[in-house]
Amino acid sequence: MSRVLLFTGKGGVGKTTLSAATAASLAAHGRKALVVSTDPAHSLGDALGVRLGAEPSEVDESGGLFACQIDPRGLVDEAWGELRGHLRTVLAGAGVDELDAEELTVLPGVEELLALAEVRRLASSGPWEVVVVDCGPTAETLRLLSLPEAFAGYLERLFPTHRRVVRGLLAGVAGTGTVEKWDATADALSRLAERLDALRSMLADSESCSVRLVLTPERVVAAETRRTLTALALQGIRVDSVIANRLVPSPGAARGAAATWLRTRRQEQDAVLAELTGIGEIRTVDHRAAEPVGVPALLEVAAQLYGDEDPLPGAAVPESLLEVSGSGRGLDARYSLRIALPLSDDTDLDLARVDDDLALTVDGRRRLVALPSLLRRCIVIGAEMDSGGVMVEFRPDPSLWR
Ligand SMILES: Nc1ncnc2c1ncn2[C@@H]1O[C@H](COP(=O)(O)OP(=O)(O)OP(=O)(O)O)[C@@H](O)[C@H]1O
Ligand SMILES: [Mg+2]
């Protein structure tokens, strides 16, 4: 399995440029690298200065750099189109109204999901040491990364675990032809579910998959960066670097209108970066006079971004998301669960206990956190939040405690 580096950030900040520069630099460091774009507005080829297809091709004669742009629409026709047809027939056979069947089998996000599945296929079967992904804008990427989970839930509803019962029901109402079709559909759906599972484990495996977040030093972008960091942490996806792109050069002691403009602009940019505290080191790239297009120009960008270092390792793995501590004994014991999340003062947070999980809703995004077994036998007695996360207090539930 290749290492997977996902690049995302707000529209236009330089995701495509920096993912291409990173891949070019990895290849220059002797690592076989593939850069793929899952952004439907493909501009990866423009950044590299070559024409790209859906299959990985060599970018230059160096032999180590490959690139491609995934065509999600083609994948949908190939994979989901057929399955969707099957499902509709089966549902119709089972007496489900045609319109309802249509609704059940239209799946928002399936294109992006298949693009991500394709990334996983390339990463798990290709010869590349690193697969760099130009994911496109943040909002879409966040949706994309939460899809495997959402989709698994959908499959569970559409295709219950008790599929034998469904088969029996179908046999009763629709005859053997439909049952055979159901079997074929059920198999196809299981394979899809397996792929989703693999995708979820790839995303959650912080050793092999991480995100590099790109921003430009502007207030609106910085605000979005914080929200993105929270949303990714909530999904258990590791961010290994934050990169500030397009820092204007400092004019030094030069005088004149142009120098004043640059000085003011740079001071503003520095102020925005200074406000982004608590998110670890931010790497920076200058705003260059010419657009970095083609491998040599991209390598110059990478040299500034990574210095002489190997671009592969990101920052150190941050502390684990969950940490339990406790004091006291027996029924008098008190436990606290710390959930590490970068939060800001205006974060809207809601916490609820749902059986053995804590449902955490941050700015409208919900995440179930499985409680460690000790805490499942406890009652929540309070919660506090600060900029580093949430602390939930528990005490033993007398009816479950022995
Ligand atoms: N450091 C830089 N200096 C000068 N130009 C840059 C720099 N970084 C990016 N650019 C240019 O800015 C434009 C936008 O960059 P890029 O396409 O990489 O952004 P993006 O985040 O991928 O955009 P989109 O959200 O549209 O996909 C491109 O023309 C690119 O060449
Ligand atoms: Mg782009």
Side-chain angles (χ1 to χ4, degrees):
M1 182 85 183
S2 329
R3 263 284 265 129
V4 178
L5 293 178
L6 305 162
F7 276 75
T8 189
K10 212 166 157 39
V13 293
K15 303 171 291 292
T16 302
T17 305
L18 297 184
S19 49
T22 301
S25 170
L26 284 163
H29 277 83
R31 299 185 187 272
K32 208 169 189 137
L34 169 70
V35 52
V36 259
S37 152
T38 61
D39 185 1
H42 292 307
S43 57
L44 183 60
D46 299 335
L48 289 164
V50 294
R51 282 180 68 95
L52 296 178
E55 284 302 314
S57 57
E58 259 179 81
V59 172
D60 55 18
E61 285 80 58
S62 68
L65 180 60
F66 294 75
C68 65
Q69 34 201 28
I70 293 171
D71 168 24
R73 202 137 301 144
L75 289 173
V76 172
D77 295 344
E78 208 177 293
W80 182 249
E82 192 189 351
L83 191 54
R84 195 169 165 235
H86 276 309
L87 266 177
R88 242 186 323 212
T89 325
V90 169
L91 290 171
V96 173
D97 206 278
E98 202 175 307
L99 277 179
D100 289 343
E102 185 66 31
E103 200 174 313
L104 270 173
T105 55
V106 169
L107 204 51
V110 70
E111 289 192 4
E112 294 98 319
L113 189 73
L114 289 171
L116 201 57
E118 180 69 3
V119 168
R120 201 201 94 88
R121 188 185 70 81
L122 291 165
S124 60
S125 63
W128 301 286
E129 193 175 341
V130 192
V131 174
V132 181
V133 190
D134 174 16
C135 286
T138 326
E140 274 103 275
T141 305
L142 286 175
R143 211 166 72 86
L144 178 72
L145 298 181
S146 63
L147 275 173
E149 206 158 297
F151 203 94
Y154 169 91
L155 274 190
E156 195 54 44
R157 251 184 325 185
L158 189 66
F159 167 62
T161 333
H162 320 290
R163 67 162 151 151
R164 242 182 271 123
V165 180
V166 177
R167 188 178 193 275
L169 281 174
L170 276 179
V173 296
T176 46
T178 308
V179 172
E180 272 160 27
K181 278 199 196 100
W182 167 252
D183 283 342
T185 310
D187 285 345
L189 283 172
S190 315
R191 282 197 299 275
L192 193 61
E194 271 164 32
R195 275 166 73 186
L196 286 177
D197 247 14
L199 207 52
R200 279 199 285 179
S201 24
M202 176 186 97
L203 293 174
D205 177 3
S206 59
E207 294 286 313
S208 69
C209 178
S210 56
V211 168
R212 294 199 174 166
L213 201 56
V214 185
L215 61 97
T216 47
E218 292 152 306
R219 290 220 148 63
V220 276
V221 182
E224 184 179 294
T225 301
R226 273 198 190 282
R227 283 194 294 275
T228 307
L229 285 170
T230 308
L232 287 169
L234 207 53
Q235 278 172 237
I237 295 170
R238 179 163 80 98
V239 174
D240 81 11
S241 329
V242 176
I243 305 168
N245 186 24
R246 291 219 199 92
L247 235 70
V248 298
S250 161
R255 286 157 177 268
T260 306
W261 189 92
L262 277 179
R263 196 168 294 117
T264 310
R265 189 82 202 89
R266 178 61 187 251
Q267 276 164 0
E268 290 234 331
Q269 293 190 326
D270 285 340
V272 173
L273 291 184
E275 269 174 38
L276 272 175
T277 48
I279 63 171
E281 182 209 0
I282 301 177
R283 295 172 187 263
T284 57
V285 176
D286 283 349
H287 199 149
R288 308 176 78 84
E291 289 190 358
V293 170
V295 172
L298 292 171
L299 283 174
E300 281 176 32
V301 169
Q304 202 190 9
L305 183 52
Y306 302 107
D308 296 332
E309 292 165 40
D310 179 356
L312 185 55
V317 182
E319 55 186 308
S320 71
L321 187 67
L322 298 182
E323 224 171 286
V324 185
S325 55
S327 65
R329 296 180 137 264
L331 284 176
D332 293 326
R334 292 291 176 270
Y335 298 100
S336 13
L337 173 71
R338 169 134 196 103
I339 307 169
L341 286 174
L343 301 174
S344 56
D345 293 343
D346 61 352
T347 301
D348 187 11
L349 181 95
D350 187 66
L351 205 61
R353 171 83 179 260
V354 184
D355 301 325
D356 286 344
D357 295 319
L358 269 184
L360 202 60
T361 313
V362 181
D363 290 332
R365 285 175 191 279
R366 190 160 178 269
R367 166 91 198 171
L368 289 180
V369 176
L371 287 174
S373 61
L374 173 77
L375 299 181
R376 285 184 210 148
R377 295 180 288 137
C378 292
I379 303 170
V380 175
I381 53 172
E384 268 174 42
M385 117 181 187
D386 58 39
S387 63
V390 190
M391 181 81 99
V392 190
E393 306 291 335
F394 293 82
R395 72 172 168 76
D397 180 344
S399 64
L400 298 174
W401 205 263
R402 262 179 293 180

